[in-house]
Amino acid sequence: MKIFKHISLIMLIFLGIGSFAQPTFTGRAYEQYKGKNFDGARELIDSAITTNERFDSQTWQLRGIIYRNLETADLSYFREISIESFVQAKNVDSTNIYTEKINEYIQQTIIRYYNDAVRLMNENKQLKRSEESYELYKDQYKRLLDPKHDFKQFDIDYYNALGAEYLALIKTVPTVKQDEVRKNALEKCDKVISIDSLNYQANYNAAIIQYNYGAELITDADPTGGLERLMESLQKAEEQFLKALPYAHRAEKIKPNSFELLICLMSCYYGLNNSELYMKYQTKFDELTINDLEESFQINPNDLEVAEDLLRIYTTSIPNETKAAEFQIIVKKLKDNQ
Protein backbone atom coordinates (compact mmCIF):
# COMPACT_ATOMS: atom_id res chain seq x y z
CA MET A 1 0.00 0.00 0.00
CA LYS A 2 1.30 3.42 -0.94
CA ILE A 3 2.44 6.05 1.50
CA PHE A 4 3.00 9.73 0.98
CA LYS A 5 6.47 11.07 1.60
CA HIS A 6 7.36 13.95 -0.68
CA ILE A 7 8.46 17.38 0.41
CA SER A 8 10.77 19.81 -1.34
CA LEU A 9 13.47 22.31 -0.50
CA ILE A 10 12.73 26.01 -0.78
CA MET A 11 15.28 27.92 -2.78
CA LEU A 12 15.85 31.65 -2.34
CA ILE A 13 18.56 33.91 -3.76
CA PHE A 14 20.27 36.65 -1.77
CA LEU A 15 19.67 40.19 -2.90
CA GLY A 16 22.59 42.43 -3.72
CA ILE A 17 23.97 44.80 -1.14
CA GLY A 18 25.01 48.40 -1.49
CA SER A 19 28.48 49.88 -1.76
CA PHE A 20 30.60 51.22 1.09
CA ALA A 21 33.29 53.83 1.49
CA GLN A 22 36.67 52.06 1.19
CA PRO A 23 38.62 53.55 4.14
CA THR A 24 36.19 52.19 6.72
CA PHE A 25 36.39 48.70 8.18
CA THR A 26 33.00 48.07 6.59
CA GLY A 27 34.18 49.25 3.18
CA ARG A 28 37.31 47.08 3.35
CA ALA A 29 35.23 44.13 4.53
CA TYR A 30 32.94 44.62 1.56
CA GLU A 31 35.90 44.50 -0.85
CA GLN A 32 37.07 41.25 0.74
CA TYR A 33 33.55 39.91 0.51
CA LYS A 34 33.31 40.77 -3.20
CA GLY A 35 36.61 38.96 -3.71
CA LYS A 36 35.15 35.92 -1.89
CA ASN A 37 37.72 36.19 0.89
CA PHE A 38 35.06 35.60 3.53
CA ASP A 39 37.48 34.93 6.39
CA GLY A 40 39.25 38.22 5.75
CA ALA A 41 35.89 39.96 5.42
CA ARG A 42 34.80 38.50 8.79
CA GLU A 43 37.84 39.85 10.62
CA LEU A 44 37.27 43.33 9.20
CA ILE A 45 33.52 43.41 9.80
CA ASP A 46 34.00 42.24 13.39
CA SER A 47 36.40 45.14 13.84
CA ALA A 48 33.81 47.47 12.33
CA ILE A 49 31.24 46.75 15.03
CA THR A 50 33.72 47.84 17.71
CA THR A 51 33.80 51.34 16.21
CA ASN A 52 31.22 53.99 15.43
CA GLU A 53 30.40 51.98 12.31
CA ARG A 54 28.23 49.83 14.58
CA PHE A 55 25.60 52.56 14.37
CA ASP A 56 25.27 52.02 10.61
CA SER A 57 22.62 49.47 9.61
CA GLN A 58 24.58 48.49 6.50
CA THR A 59 27.52 47.40 8.63
CA TRP A 60 25.32 44.87 10.42
CA GLN A 61 23.69 43.83 7.15
CA LEU A 62 27.08 43.05 5.64
CA ARG A 63 28.11 41.18 8.77
CA GLY A 64 25.00 39.03 8.51
CA ILE A 65 25.74 38.25 4.85
CA ILE A 66 29.40 37.44 5.51
CA TYR A 67 28.61 35.05 8.36
CA ARG A 68 25.84 33.52 6.24
CA ASN A 69 28.43 32.71 3.56
CA LEU A 70 30.85 31.27 6.11
CA GLU A 71 28.32 28.83 7.56
CA THR A 72 29.21 25.15 7.18
CA ALA A 73 28.10 21.97 8.92
CA ASP A 74 30.96 22.46 11.41
CA LEU A 75 30.26 26.18 11.78
CA SER A 76 26.48 26.06 11.96
CA TYR A 77 26.45 28.63 14.77
CA PHE A 78 27.52 31.21 12.18
CA ARG A 79 23.90 31.12 11.02
CA GLU A 80 22.80 32.38 14.43
CA ILE A 81 25.39 35.16 14.30
CA SER A 82 24.12 36.03 10.82
CA ILE A 83 20.51 36.22 11.99
CA GLU A 84 21.32 38.31 15.05
CA SER A 85 23.39 40.65 12.88
CA PHE A 86 20.35 41.24 10.67
CA VAL A 87 18.25 41.84 13.79
CA GLN A 88 20.77 44.44 14.97
CA ALA A 89 20.70 45.99 11.49
CA LYS A 90 16.98 46.58 11.98
CA ASN A 91 17.50 47.95 15.47
CA VAL A 92 19.90 50.67 14.32
CA ASP A 93 17.85 51.49 11.22
CA SER A 94 16.04 54.38 12.93
CA THR A 95 14.40 55.57 9.71
CA ASN A 96 13.32 52.06 8.66
CA ILE A 97 14.62 52.59 5.12
CA TYR A 98 16.24 49.13 5.08
CA THR A 99 13.40 47.19 6.74
CA GLU A 100 12.18 45.43 3.61
CA LYS A 101 15.68 44.47 2.49
CA ILE A 102 16.69 43.23 5.96
CA ASN A 103 13.52 41.16 6.26
CA GLU A 104 14.41 39.47 2.99
CA TYR A 105 17.92 38.76 4.30
CA ILE A 106 16.39 37.23 7.43
CA GLN A 107 13.92 35.14 5.47
CA GLN A 108 16.65 33.89 3.14
CA THR A 109 18.74 32.89 6.14
CA ILE A 110 16.15 31.20 8.35
CA ILE A 111 14.81 29.22 5.39
CA ARG A 112 17.94 27.13 5.89
CA TYR A 113 16.33 25.60 8.97
CA TYR A 114 13.46 24.40 6.80
CA ASN A 115 15.81 23.07 4.12
CA ASP A 116 17.83 21.32 6.83
CA ALA A 117 14.63 19.69 8.04
CA VAL A 118 13.91 18.39 4.54
CA ARG A 119 17.42 17.03 4.03
CA LEU A 120 17.53 15.42 7.46
CA MET A 121 14.25 13.68 6.67
CA ASN A 122 14.73 12.70 3.02
CA GLU A 123 18.47 12.04 2.85
CA ASN A 124 19.79 11.37 6.35
CA LYS A 125 16.64 9.80 7.85
CA GLN A 126 17.32 11.67 11.10
CA LEU A 127 13.66 12.24 11.75
CA LYS A 128 13.80 13.73 15.25
CA ARG A 129 16.44 16.25 14.24
CA SER A 130 14.38 17.04 11.15
CA GLU A 131 11.36 17.91 13.25
CA GLU A 132 13.47 20.03 15.61
CA SER A 133 14.84 21.98 12.64
CA TYR A 134 11.38 22.46 11.15
CA GLU A 135 9.94 23.77 14.42
CA LEU A 136 12.95 26.04 14.84
CA TYR A 137 12.29 27.47 11.37
CA LYS A 138 8.72 28.31 12.35
CA ASP A 139 9.79 29.80 15.70
CA GLN A 140 12.39 32.01 14.05
CA TYR A 141 9.96 33.14 11.36
CA LYS A 142 7.35 34.14 13.92
CA ARG A 143 9.90 35.79 16.21
CA LEU A 144 11.66 37.79 13.54
CA LEU A 145 9.22 38.32 10.69
CA ASP A 146 5.55 37.68 11.37
CA PRO A 147 4.23 36.40 14.72
CA LYS A 148 0.82 35.73 13.15
CA HIS A 149 2.06 33.88 10.06
CA ASP A 150 -0.16 30.92 9.15
CA PHE A 151 1.89 27.73 8.79
CA LYS A 152 -1.18 25.52 8.36
CA GLN A 153 -0.37 24.23 4.87
CA PHE A 154 3.34 23.95 5.69
CA ASP A 155 2.48 21.84 8.74
CA ILE A 156 0.16 19.60 6.72
CA ASP A 157 2.77 18.97 4.03
CA TYR A 158 5.68 18.53 6.43
CA TYR A 159 3.98 16.27 8.97
CA ASN A 160 2.37 14.14 6.26
CA ALA A 161 5.83 13.54 4.84
CA LEU A 162 7.35 12.94 8.28
CA GLY A 163 4.59 10.51 9.23
CA ALA A 164 5.17 8.59 6.00
CA GLU A 165 8.88 8.38 6.77
CA TYR A 166 8.15 6.94 10.22
CA LEU A 167 5.71 4.50 8.63
CA ALA A 168 8.37 3.31 6.18
CA LEU A 169 10.85 3.03 9.06
CA ILE A 170 8.76 0.63 11.17
CA LYS A 171 9.87 -2.61 9.50
CA THR A 172 13.52 -1.54 9.23
CA VAL A 173 14.20 -1.18 12.96
CA PRO A 174 14.60 -3.98 15.53
CA THR A 175 11.33 -5.38 16.89
CA VAL A 176 11.89 -3.81 20.31
CA LYS A 177 11.89 -0.33 18.71
CA GLN A 178 8.93 -0.79 16.38
CA ASP A 179 6.28 0.30 18.89
CA GLU A 180 8.04 3.62 19.44
CA VAL A 181 8.42 4.24 15.70
CA ARG A 182 4.80 3.25 15.10
CA LYS A 183 3.69 5.65 17.82
CA ASN A 184 5.67 8.47 16.23
CA ALA A 185 4.17 7.71 12.82
CA LEU A 186 0.65 7.84 14.20
CA GLU A 187 1.35 11.04 16.16
CA LYS A 188 2.41 12.83 12.98
CA CYS A 189 -0.75 11.70 11.18
CA ASP A 190 -2.89 12.83 14.09
CA LYS A 191 -1.10 16.19 14.10
CA VAL A 192 -2.18 16.76 10.49
CA ILE A 193 -5.71 15.57 11.24
CA SER A 194 -5.92 18.05 14.13
CA ILE A 195 -5.33 20.78 11.53
CA ASP A 196 -7.45 19.30 8.75
CA SER A 197 -9.68 16.43 9.88
CA LEU A 198 -10.48 15.50 6.29
CA ASN A 199 -6.93 15.36 5.01
CA TYR A 200 -6.90 12.22 2.89
CA GLN A 201 -3.23 11.32 3.18
CA ALA A 202 -3.04 11.63 6.96
CA ASN A 203 -6.18 9.56 7.48
CA TYR A 204 -5.11 6.94 4.96
CA ASN A 205 -1.60 6.64 6.43
CA ALA A 206 -3.01 6.38 9.97
CA ALA A 207 -5.37 3.62 8.83
CA ILE A 208 -2.46 1.75 7.23
CA ILE A 209 -0.37 2.06 10.41
CA GLN A 210 -3.14 0.48 12.47
CA TYR A 211 -4.02 -2.15 9.87
CA ASN A 212 -0.42 -3.21 9.26
CA TYR A 213 0.13 -3.67 12.97
CA GLY A 214 -2.95 -5.85 13.21
CA ALA A 215 -1.85 -7.94 10.24
CA GLU A 216 1.61 -8.36 11.78
CA LEU A 217 0.10 -9.59 15.04
CA ILE A 218 -1.57 -12.39 13.07
CA THR A 219 1.27 -13.30 10.71
CA ASP A 220 3.92 -13.14 13.45
CA ALA A 221 1.89 -15.17 15.96
CA ASP A 222 3.79 -18.22 17.21
CA PRO A 223 1.73 -21.31 16.28
CA THR A 224 3.56 -23.33 18.94
CA GLY A 225 2.61 -20.91 21.71
CA GLY A 226 -0.70 -22.54 22.44
CA LEU A 227 -4.31 -21.71 21.66
CA GLU A 228 -4.64 -19.11 24.40
CA ARG A 229 -1.75 -17.00 23.11
CA LEU A 230 -2.97 -17.36 19.53
CA MET A 231 -6.44 -16.13 20.52
CA GLU A 232 -4.85 -13.22 22.38
CA SER A 233 -2.95 -12.24 19.24
CA LEU A 234 -6.13 -12.44 17.16
CA GLN A 235 -8.00 -10.26 19.65
CA LYS A 236 -5.24 -7.63 19.62
CA ALA A 237 -5.23 -7.72 15.82
CA GLU A 238 -8.97 -7.11 15.70
CA GLU A 239 -8.51 -4.13 18.03
CA GLN A 240 -6.04 -2.66 15.55
CA PHE A 241 -8.41 -3.22 12.62
CA LEU A 242 -11.15 -1.43 14.56
CA LYS A 243 -8.79 1.47 15.28
CA ALA A 244 -7.99 1.72 11.58
CA LEU A 245 -11.62 2.04 10.48
CA PRO A 246 -12.42 5.60 11.68
CA TYR A 247 -9.40 6.89 9.77
CA ALA A 248 -10.26 4.82 6.69
CA HIS A 249 -13.87 5.97 6.65
CA ARG A 250 -12.84 9.62 6.94
CA ALA A 251 -10.51 9.10 4.00
CA GLU A 252 -13.39 7.46 2.16
CA LYS A 253 -15.38 10.71 2.37
CA ILE A 254 -12.64 12.43 0.39
CA LYS A 255 -11.67 9.73 -2.11
CA PRO A 256 -14.41 7.10 -2.17
CA ASN A 257 -12.99 5.43 -5.28
CA SER A 258 -9.36 5.25 -4.17
CA PHE A 259 -8.04 1.77 -4.99
CA GLU A 260 -5.52 1.78 -2.13
CA LEU A 261 -8.21 2.81 0.34
CA LEU A 262 -10.71 0.21 -0.86
CA ILE A 263 -8.04 -2.45 -0.39
CA CYS A 264 -7.46 -1.15 3.15
CA LEU A 265 -11.17 -1.26 3.97
CA MET A 266 -11.54 -4.75 2.47
CA SER A 267 -8.56 -5.96 4.48
CA CYS A 268 -9.87 -4.52 7.75
CA TYR A 269 -13.31 -6.06 7.38
CA TYR A 270 -11.80 -9.36 6.25
CA GLY A 271 -9.68 -9.37 9.41
CA LEU A 272 -12.80 -8.65 11.46
CA ASN A 273 -14.69 -11.52 9.77
CA ASN A 274 -17.37 -9.08 8.64
CA SER A 275 -18.29 -10.75 5.36
CA GLU A 276 -21.06 -8.29 4.51
CA LEU A 277 -18.88 -5.18 4.63
CA TYR A 278 -15.94 -7.03 3.17
CA MET A 279 -18.05 -7.91 0.12
CA LYS A 280 -19.35 -4.33 -0.10
CA TYR A 281 -15.86 -2.96 -0.63
CA GLN A 282 -14.67 -5.96 -2.65
CA THR A 283 -17.59 -5.44 -5.02
CA LYS A 284 -16.89 -1.73 -5.33
CA PHE A 285 -13.24 -2.44 -6.04
CA ASP A 286 -14.17 -5.06 -8.63
CA GLU A 287 -16.60 -2.69 -10.33
CA LEU A 288 -13.84 -0.13 -10.70
CA THR A 289 -11.23 -2.60 -11.97
CA ILE A 290 -13.17 -5.13 -14.05
CA ASN A 291 -12.77 -3.30 -17.36
CA ASP A 292 -9.01 -3.10 -16.88
CA LEU A 293 -8.90 -6.81 -16.05
CA GLU A 294 -10.92 -7.68 -19.15
CA GLU A 295 -8.64 -5.54 -21.30
CA SER A 296 -5.55 -7.07 -19.72
CA PHE A 297 -6.85 -10.57 -20.43
CA GLN A 298 -7.57 -9.67 -24.05
CA ILE A 299 -3.95 -8.60 -24.43
CA ASN A 300 -2.60 -11.68 -22.64
CA PRO A 301 -5.11 -14.57 -22.70
CA ASN A 302 -2.59 -16.87 -21.01
CA ASP A 303 -2.50 -14.85 -17.78
CA LEU A 304 -3.84 -17.34 -15.25
CA GLU A 305 -3.89 -14.83 -12.38
CA VAL A 306 -6.11 -12.39 -14.28
CA ALA A 307 -8.35 -15.23 -15.47
CA GLU A 308 -8.83 -16.45 -11.89
CA ASP A 309 -9.62 -12.91 -10.77
CA LEU A 310 -12.29 -12.56 -13.45
CA LEU A 311 -13.73 -15.97 -12.54
CA ARG A 312 -13.98 -14.88 -8.91
CA ILE A 313 -15.64 -11.60 -9.86
CA TYR A 314 -18.24 -13.19 -12.17
CA THR A 315 -18.93 -15.88 -9.58
CA THR A 316 -19.25 -13.67 -6.48
CA SER A 317 -19.14 -9.88 -6.51
CA ILE A 318 -20.59 -9.25 -9.99
CA PRO A 319 -22.47 -12.50 -10.75
CA ASN A 320 -22.70 -13.41 -14.43
CA GLU A 321 -23.40 -17.08 -15.13
CA THR A 322 -22.31 -16.94 -18.76
CA LYS A 323 -19.04 -15.19 -18.01
CA ALA A 324 -18.41 -17.38 -14.97
CA ALA A 325 -18.83 -20.54 -17.05
CA GLU A 326 -16.56 -19.11 -19.76
CA PHE A 327 -13.76 -18.30 -17.35
CA GLN A 328 -14.15 -21.56 -15.48
CA ILE A 329 -13.25 -23.35 -18.71
CA ILE A 330 -10.42 -20.90 -19.43
CA VAL A 331 -8.91 -21.28 -15.96
CA LYS A 332 -9.07 -25.07 -16.20
CA LYS A 333 -7.30 -25.09 -19.58
CA LEU A 334 -4.60 -22.70 -18.38
CA LYS A 335 -3.96 -24.85 -15.31
CA ASP A 336 -3.85 -28.02 -17.40
CA ASN A 337 -1.28 -26.42 -19.72
CA GLN A 338 1.04 -25.40 -16.90
Side-chain angles (χ1 to χ4, degrees), residues 304-319:
L304 176 59
E305 185 178 349
V306 173
E308 287 179 327
D309 229 359
L310 286 165
L311 174 58
R312 174 191 59 77
I313 290 171
Y314 288 128
T315 304
T316 57
S317 56
I318 309 175

Side-chain angles (χ1 to χ4, degrees), residues 112-124:
R112 280 200 162 193
Y113 292 113
Y114 174 84
N115 288 342
D116 285 348
V118 173
R119 291 191 189 95
L120 286 165
M121 175 169 54
N122 290 346
E123 298 173 16
N124 305 91

Side-chain angles (χ1 to χ4, degrees), residues 62-307:
L62 180 59
R63 186 171 189 258
I65 292 169
I66 290 169
Y67 272 93
R68 169 65 173 73
N69 278 276
L70 282 166
E71 181 197 345
T72 64
D74 294 330
L75 297 171
S76 58
Y77 64 93
F78 277 7
R79 186 186 306 174
E80 297 171 18
I81 296 174
S82 173
I83 291 170
E84 293 311 316
S85 294
F86 292 134
V87 171
Q88 185 62 17
K90 287 177 75 173
N91 291 341
V92 300
D93 179 22
S94 57
T95 58
N96 296 322
I97 60 174
Y98 297 116
T99 299
E100 185 176 350
K101 181 196 289 188
I102 296 169
N103 282 343
E104 294 215 29
Y105 288 151
I106 292 173
Q107 183 175 3
Q108 292 163 357
T109 305
I110 65 175
I111 200 65
R112 280 200 162 193
Y113 292 113
Y114 174 84
N115 288 342
D116 285 348
V118 173
R119 291 191 189 95
L120 286 165
M121 175 169 54
N122 290 346
E123 298 173 16
N124 305 91
K125 307 304 179 185
Q126 296 181 34
L127 304 186
K128 288 184 178 180
R129 285 188 60 200
S130 171
E131 186 174 5
E132 289 170 0
S133 190
Y134 175 69
E135 290 296 333
L136 180 56
Y137 162 66
K138 291 199 304 176
D139 289 344
Q140 293 280 45
Y141 195 102
K142 289 180 177 179
R143 179 175 73 90
L144 301 173
L145 295 173
D146 181 3
K148 296 182 180 179
H149 186 78
D150 184 3
F151 281 98
K152 181 177 176 181
Q153 192 56 53
F154 262 67
D155 284 346
I156 289 171
D157 293 341
Y158 175 77
Y159 280 104
N160 260 333
L162 187 62
E165 287 291 344
Y166 273 113
L167 174 53
L169 186 65
I170 292 171
K171 293 301 289 182
T172 69
V173 299
T175 304
V176 292
K177 294 185 177 180
Q178 287 182 5
D179 284 345
E180 180 185 355
V181 176
R182 190 179 293 109
K183 179 183 176 183
N184 275 316
L186 193 58
E187 282 178 354
K188 308 318 169 193
C189 294
D190 285 336
K191 190 175 183 72
V192 175
I193 293 167
S194 70
I195 300 169
D196 177 8
S197 62
L198 292 180
N199 181 272
Y200 172 81
Q201 204 63 55
N203 279 290
Y204 171 74
N205 283 356
I208 291 303
I209 292 165
Q210 302 284 22
Y211 169 76
N212 283 352
Y213 185 34
E216 289 164 16
L217 287 168
I218 294 174
T219 57
D220 295 346
D222 183 1
T224 64
L227 181 60
E228 185 176 343
R229 290 189 63 182
L230 180 61
M231 293 303 295
E232 183 181 340
S233 294
L234 290 173
Q235 183 179 353
K236 288 182 178 179
E238 288 184 356
E239 290 172 0
Q240 295 307 129
F241 298 147
L242 287 170
K243 288 179 180 179
L245 287 175
Y247 294 109
H249 284 302
R250 272 200 298 269
E252 184 184 12
K253 293 178 182 178
I254 309 149
K255 292 187 178 180
N257 293 331
S258 166
F259 288 179
E260 62 186 6
L261 179 61
L262 290 172
I263 292 171
C264 177
L265 284 161
M266 276 190 290
S267 302
C268 285
Y269 284 117
Y270 183 83
L272 290 168
N273 294 311
N274 189 324
S275 56
E276 181 181 351
L277 288 174
Y278 166 77
M279 278 306 300
K280 172 186 173 181
Y281 290 103
Q282 178 71 71
T283 300
K284 187 170 185 178
F285 182 82
D286 290 340
E287 288 171 346
L288 292 169
T289 58
I290 191 168
N291 290 336
D292 289 340
L293 287 171
E294 286 278 14
E295 184 178 336
S296 177
F297 188 73
Q298 290 298 319
I299 295 171
N300 183 8
N302 293 317
D303 192 326
L304 176 59
E305 185 178 349
V306 173

